[in-house]
């Protein structure tokens, strides 16, 4: 799954976003849980399953549930996220009372500092001033290049979390090479925008125009709060620079094309292909002076930014650095900064009427800073061993179902099948929590310095990632903490993570029937496994190399099926003026379809034969109920523009491609979701 749009780097809130890497929901306070069992309680106006399966299964939930005032969207996974959050906060508070040591102390002190509003108000911008003074002291382009390099953080993840967003000039990711699975390589990505994507700067629509005006006002407001003179003039300079940066950015569709990211540059390549900046000085400041090779994910953005360093006035860059420093750390500053950030990113951009309670924001900050430390506390208290055992059995069954589905493919050549089977055989599946916990030894956390704690934690995380260079790649490394409601496929590691927090209702219920669990968490497991064979994962072999292991004929057959799914999702109309983007969401749509089909196969096998119609209805309802969701219009529009996942309603519509669904619900021609057998998309 993939995570939802980020507006701050290192935003590791408890979310759900099953990807080609991650899955797709968002947290909030528990209200109405999605139906826990198969047969939904139907509201009076429930549609026919063949007209709107999402509405049919979730009718009662949709009728009774309101989006919380502090959310842009709300769903079954959101409720689970908030229930989990509440348990973790209580656990942190209980642990703090025992005066813990080590990483547990870091968790409690970080949370305590964030929650101490009086201390934050009294401190004002004191912890921020050293950073702003460094920016004010920049006198020439040489010092600017040093400042830009020093600002880099390990804050993006293009493959596992599809997180391309950073306010820093570039995003950095440290992972094994696309062509070398044995060595870590630094990946450099586009960055430097305060809005989520280039489309927000360049698309000529009334809504985007309104957001650009509001964003420029937000820049001015934040600069004024930080004490800068002429905030409107500075805001105009910052916005002009960001718009120029956006013009060199790749689109979200380009970012999803891993072949376009396969650009290994040496230091000489940077000077030749991206002139305008002293790259040696830049990388020295970033702690990468001795690094010989880099994977350049977005070449046009690297070239464009370097040219702008040379072309744009020094003052524009200084204002840019100052604003993004204030903006990034704004949630750890006094209330006026927090309120201003919410006014733009929450109310204006996502249509969210109310700021989240402070305890939720405090926990989100903890998860950004010391995720494994908080996750270890959660697992020790809340994750039962029997849940891990039952889940591992389901994983085994669904992997076996994929083996059989691959073997039965009449269109796939023997050599291609052999490599696909090898990917399944060597797949690492992490359930619950990582084999090795991250240590935060050496990270200084103070119980009275919220802003400083965030800054030190980000620098500490960056140093941890830098330390990977030159070491052997760990194929069992996790990319998300165990207390996040999510799941992930990591294509280069040929690995899956199913964190402990998602192994709860409505996705996994120890008391529910196997039919429900295979439809809910089973489809998630299948989803993540299938990412190994979607339009992204299929480009990596069993060792994690970016390599074409398909015959030409196999590739053409796959592309034909994928094109049909693109067309299917392109046709869905979310608003009168806005359809879904089948190309942007292809990886996730493929994973939803293949994952659901494999989960049904696995359930049939586990049941000793073909499931009964009642069991099949329980299976499909378990799937659809786990996607119960509502969105505000602004939030939904943003998701369609930037998220690799289709909105929840249309994700459930993948059932229309499965023959068994038609039989289970007696779906007939003429109903809205009906597809003739030859129109149903069949890939795996």
């Amino acid at each position: 799954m993939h995570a939802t749009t980020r507006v701050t780097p290192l935003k590791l809130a408890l979310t759900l976003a099953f990807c080609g890497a991650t899955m797709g929901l968002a947290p909030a306070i528990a209200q109405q849980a999605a139906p826990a069992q198969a047969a939904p309680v139907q509201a009076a106006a429930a549609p026919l399953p063949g007209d709107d399966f999402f509405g049919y299964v979730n009718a009662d939930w949709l009728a009774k549930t309101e989006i919380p005032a502090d959310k842009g969207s709300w769903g079954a996974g959101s409720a689970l996220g908030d229930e989990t959050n509440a348990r973790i906060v209580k656990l942190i508070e209980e642990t703090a009372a025992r005066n813990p040591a080590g990483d547990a102390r870091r968790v409690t002190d970080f949370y305590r500092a964030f929650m101490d509003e009086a201390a934050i108000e009294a401190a004002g911008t004191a912890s921020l001033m050293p950073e702003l003074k460094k920016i004010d002291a920049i006198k020439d382009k040489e010092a600017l290049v040093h400042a830009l390099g020093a600002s880099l953080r390990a804050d993006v993840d293009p493959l596992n979390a599809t997180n391309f967003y950073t306010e820093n000039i570039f995003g950095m990711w440290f992972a094994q090479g696309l062509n070398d699975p044995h060595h870590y390589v630094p990946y450099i990505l586009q960055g430097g925008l305060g809005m989520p994507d280039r489309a927000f700067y360049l698309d000529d629509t009334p809504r985007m125009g309104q957001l650009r005006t509001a964003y420029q006002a937000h820049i001015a407001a934040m600069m004024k709060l930080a004490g800068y003179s002429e905030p409107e003039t500075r805001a105009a300079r910052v916005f002009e620079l960001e718009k120029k940066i956006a013009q060199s950015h790749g689109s979200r569709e380009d970012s999803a094309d891993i072949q376009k990211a396969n650009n290994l540059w040496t230091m000489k390549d940077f000077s030749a292909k991206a002139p305008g900046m002293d790259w040696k000085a830049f990388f020295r400041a970033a702690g990468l002076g001795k690094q010989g090779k880099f994977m350049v994910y977005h070449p046009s953005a690297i070239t464009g930014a370097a040219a702008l360093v040379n072309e744009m006035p020094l003052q524009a860059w200084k204002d840019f650095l100052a604003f993004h420093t204030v903006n990034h750390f704004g949630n750890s500053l006094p209330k006026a900064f927090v309120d201003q950030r919410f006014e733009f990113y929450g109310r204006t951009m996502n249509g969210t009427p109310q700021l989240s309670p402070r305890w939720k924001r405090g926990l989100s900050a903890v998860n950004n800073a010391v995720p494994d430390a908080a996750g270890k506390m959660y697992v020790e208290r809340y994750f039962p061993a029997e849940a891990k055992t039952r889940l591992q059995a389901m994983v085994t069954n669904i992997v076996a179902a994929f083996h059989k589905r691959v073997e039965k493919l009449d269109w796939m050549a023997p050599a291609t099948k052999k490599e696909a089977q090898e990917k399944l055989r060597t797949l690492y599946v992490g359930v619950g929590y990582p084999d090795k916990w991250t240590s935060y030894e050496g990270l200084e956390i103070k119980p009275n310095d919220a802003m400083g704690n965030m800054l030190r934690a980000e620098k500490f995380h960056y140093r941890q990632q830098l330390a990977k260079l030159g070491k052997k790649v760990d194929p069992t490394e996790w990319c998300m903490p165990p207390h996040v409601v999510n799941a992930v496929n990591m294509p280069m590691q040929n690995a899956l993570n199913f964190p402990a927090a998602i192994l709860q209702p409505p996705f996994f219920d120890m008391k529910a029937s196997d039919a429900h669990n295979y439809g809910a968490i089973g489809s998630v497991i299948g989803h993540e496994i299938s990412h190994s064979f979607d339009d992204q994962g299929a480009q990596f072999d069993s060792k994690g190399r970016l390599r074409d292991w398909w015959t030409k004929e196999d590739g053409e057959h796959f592309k034909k099926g994928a094109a049909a799914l693109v067309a299917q999702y392109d046709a869905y109309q979310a608003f009168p003026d806005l359809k879904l983007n089948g190309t942007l969401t292809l990886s996730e749509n493929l994973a939803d379809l293949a994952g659901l089909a494999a989960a049904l196969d696995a359930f049939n096998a586990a049941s000793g034969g073909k499931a009964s119609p009642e069991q099949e209805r329980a299976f499909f309802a378990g799937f659809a109920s786990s996607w119960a969701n509502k969105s505000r219009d602004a939030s939904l529009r943003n998701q369609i523009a930037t998220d690799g996942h289709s909105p929840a309603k249309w994700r459930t519509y993948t059932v229309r491609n499965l023959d068994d669904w038609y039989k289970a619900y007696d779906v007939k021609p003429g109903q809205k979701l009906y597809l003739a057998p030859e129109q149903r998309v069949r890939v795996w």
Side-chain angles (χ1 to χ4, degrees):
M1 304 188 157
H2 298 280
T4 49
T5 301
R6 278 101 165 152
V7 293
T8 56
L10 267 179
K11 184 173 182 182
L12 224 182
L14 299 190
T15 109
L16 177 72
F18 312 111
C19 348
T22 60
M23 195 173 138
L25 306 178
I29 289 182
Q31 299 225 335
Q32 192 81 20
Q37 288 293 338
V41 179
Q42 297 302 329
L48 292 171
D51 284 332
D52 176 9
F53 190 59
F54 174 83
Y56 168 78
V57 172
N58 297 308
D60 192 56
W61 186 92
L62 292 167
K64 293 180 178 179
T65 303
E66 296 294 332
I67 302 174
D70 64 336
K71 298 297 173 185
S73 63
W74 180 252
S78 313
L80 176 56
D82 262 25
E83 291 166 359
T84 303
N85 289 352
R87 286 197 296 272
I88 297 171
V89 165
K90 184 178 180 181
L91 177 59
I92 290 173
E93 292 171 344
E94 291 174 354
T95 303
R98 297 196 296 269
N99 195 29
D103 283 347
R105 180 61 174 266
R106 291 183 177 91
V107 170
T108 58
D109 280 356
F110 194 102
Y111 182 75
R112 180 186 303 170
F114 191 94
M115 294 302 291
D116 191 346
E117 294 183 79
I120 291 173
E121 292 296 328
T125 57
S127 293
L128 195 62
M129 290 313 297
E131 301 301 312
L132 297 181
K133 286 181 179 178
K134 291 178 186 176
I135 296 168
D136 290 343
I138 295 173
K139 301 299 182 185
D140 51 33
K141 290 294 179 74
E142 181 180 356
L144 171 63
V145 168
H146 183 277
L148 290 171
S151 73
L152 294 191
R153 299 290 179 264
D155 53 6
V156 293
D157 181 344
L159 277 182
N160 300 329
T162 55
N163 175 17
F164 297 94
Y165 181 82
T166 175
E167 289 186 76
N168 297 323
I169 185 63
F170 303 126
M172 294 298 300
W173 184 50
F174 297 83
Q176 69 190 60
L178 289 174
N179 309 296
D180 179 3
H182 304 296
H183 298 93
Y184 287 106
V185 177
Y187 289 70
I188 184 166
L189 282 74
Q190 62 193 21
L193 305 182
M195 292 193 286
D197 183 78
R198 72 190 297 273
F200 288 78
Y201 295 81
L202 306 178
D203 282 6
D204 187 19
T205 65
R207 179 172 182 267
M208 291 303 193
Q210 292 167 1
L211 286 175
R212 288 192 280 271
T213 299
Y215 177 56
Q216 193 163 328
H218 168 67
I219 299 172
M222 292 295 277
M223 296 293 275
K224 184 176 181 180
L225 286 171
Y228 284 91
S229 62
E230 301 180 319
E232 288 81 10
T233 301
R234 294 177 189 270
R237 282 197 290 257
V238 172
F239 183 80
E240 180 189 8
L241 175 54
E242 286 190 32
K243 186 174 182 180
K244 290 180 180 294
I245 292 172
Q247 289 169 346
S248 68
H249 272 208
S251 67
R252 268 299 269 114
E253 291 86 348
D254 286 337
S255 295
D257 187 345
I258 191 64
Q259 297 294 338
K260 293 181 179 179
N262 190 15
N263 309 288
L264 194 64
W265 285 16
T266 64
M267 195 66 71
K268 289 183 179 179
D269 289 323
F270 280 95
S271 299
K273 298 178 180 181
M277 186 163 76
D278 184 343
W279 285 103
K280 289 185 178 180
F282 177 84
F283 284 123
R284 279 198 303 271
L288 289 161
K290 297 180 180 180
Q291 181 65 28
K293 296 179 180 180
F294 298 79
M295 191 63 72
V296 177
Y297 209 96
H298 295 109
S300 65
I302 308 307
T303 299
L308 290 172
V309 167
N310 182 54
E311 296 168 7
M312 294 297 286
L314 182 65
Q315 189 58 52
W317 280 107
K318 291 176 66 173
D319 289 336
F320 168 90
L321 285 169
F323 163 67
H324 283 292
T325 300
V326 175
N327 195 53
H328 176 57
F329 292 109
N331 282 332
S332 295
L333 293 172
K335 185 175 183 298
F337 291 88
V338 175
D339 289 347
Q340 176 55 45
R341 286 192 91 259
F342 174 73
E343 181 63 32
F344 177 69
Y345 290 109
R347 187 171 284 117
T348 302
M349 181 162 283
N350 283 304
T352 307
Q354 183 175 304
L355 182 66
S356 293
R358 191 164 191 88
W359 69 266
K360 291 185 183 181
R361 291 180 278 127
L363 180 58
S364 180
V366 167
N367 293 334
N368 290 336
V370 284
D372 262 26
K376 187 176 183 181
M377 292 167 60
Y378 173 82
V379 166
E380 290 172 349
R381 173 72 67 89
Y382 292 113
F383 187 55
E386 56 267 29
K388 182 168 184 172
T389 300
R390 188 170 173 186
L391 212 288
Q392 286 174 323
M394 292 181 69
V395 169
T396 298
N397 291 339
I398 296 171
V399 170
F402 265 98
H403 274 295
K404 292 178 181 178
R405 293 185 75 85
V406 169
E407 198 56 42
K408 289 179 180 178
L409 293 175
D410 57 7
W411 55 267
M412 182 173 277
T416 311
K417 279 187 181 180
K418 182 179 179 180
E419 185 63 24
Q421 298 287 24
E422 183 65 10
K423 288 194 75 172
L424 289 168
R425 189 189 69 79
T426 57
L427 183 69
Y428 166 77
V429 182
V431 175
Y433 49 88
D435 300 340
K436 291 175 286 188
W437 294 100
T438 298
S439 170
Y440 299 92
E441 184 68 31
L443 172 59
E444 182 184 18
I445 299 295
K446 299 179 180 180
N448 58 356
D449 185 13
M451 212 298 296
N453 288 341
M454 181 183 285
L455 178 64
R456 288 187 291 273
E458 288 188 359
K459 290 182 176 179
F460 182 85
H461 176 67
Y462 183 61
R463 290 194 297 270
Q464 283 181 319
Q465 297 301 301
L466 282 175
K468 289 181 178 180
L469 298 175
K471 293 183 179 178
K472 184 178 179 181
V473 169
D474 178 5
T476 68
E477 180 183 5
W478 278 48
C479 73
M480 57 177 55
H483 58 305
V484 66
V485 181
N486 212 330
V488 66
N489 178 298
M490 297 175 285
M492 288 196 296
Q493 291 173 231
N494 194 28
L496 312 179
N497 295 163
F498 296 102
I502 198 177
L503 306 180
Q504 305 175 79
F507 298 99
F508 178 68
D509 187 347
M510 289 292 290
K511 299 177 182 179
S513 68
D514 279 349
H516 172 85
N517 281 331
Y518 271 93
I521 194 65
S523 65
V524 174
I525 296 168
H527 174 110
E528 297 306 339
I529 294 172
S530 72
H531 271 310
S532 296
F533 307 102
D534 66 10
D535 61 316
Q536 283 274 37
Q539 299 179 73
F540 294 88
D541 66 15
S542 58
K543 302 295 184 183
R545 294 186 184 90
L546 185 64
R547 178 174 74 85
D548 186 2
W549 47 276
W550 295 59
T551 67
K552 181 180 179 181
E553 293 75 17
D554 291 343
E556 290 302 318
H557 187 281
F558 180 84
K559 289 177 182 177
K560 184 178 179 181
L565 201 60
V566 168
Q568 190 176 110
Y569 276 80
D570 276 344
Y572 290 133
Q573 192 90 36
F575 296 95
D577 64 334
L578 184 63
K579 291 184 177 181
L580 302 195
N581 185 335
T583 301
L584 176 61
T585 58
L586 176 60
S587 292
E588 299 304 320
N589 296 334
L590 284 166
D592 283 341
L593 173 56
L596 188 63
L600 181 57
D601 284 357
F603 173 63
N604 284 329
S607 303
K610 180 69 175 169
S612 69
E614 182 182 6
Q615 287 176 316
E616 287 196 335
R617 287 192 292 272
F619 171 89
F620 286 117
F623 167 67
S625 67
S626 69
W627 287 110
N629 186 272
K630 284 185 170 184
S631 293
R632 302 184 194 281
D633 284 359
S635 180
L636 181 57
R637 285 179 178 274
N638 286 347
Q639 180 182 357
I640 292 169
T642 63
D643 198 338
H645 301 81
S646 297
K649 174 181 177 179
W650 291 280
R651 292 186 76 164
T652 66
Y653 286 179
T654 198
V655 295
R656 66 198 301 228
N657 295 300
L658 274 64
D659 296 341
D660 291 276
W661 175 73
Y662 289 83
K663 298 172 185 176
Y665 289 96
D666 194 26
V667 177
K668 301 292 188 184
Q671 294 178 346
K672 294 177 182 178
L673 295 181
Y674 180 85
L675 289 172
E678 66 274 10
Q679 294 178 318
R680 297 168 197 171
V681 179
R682 310 173 198 274
V683 180
W684 290 103

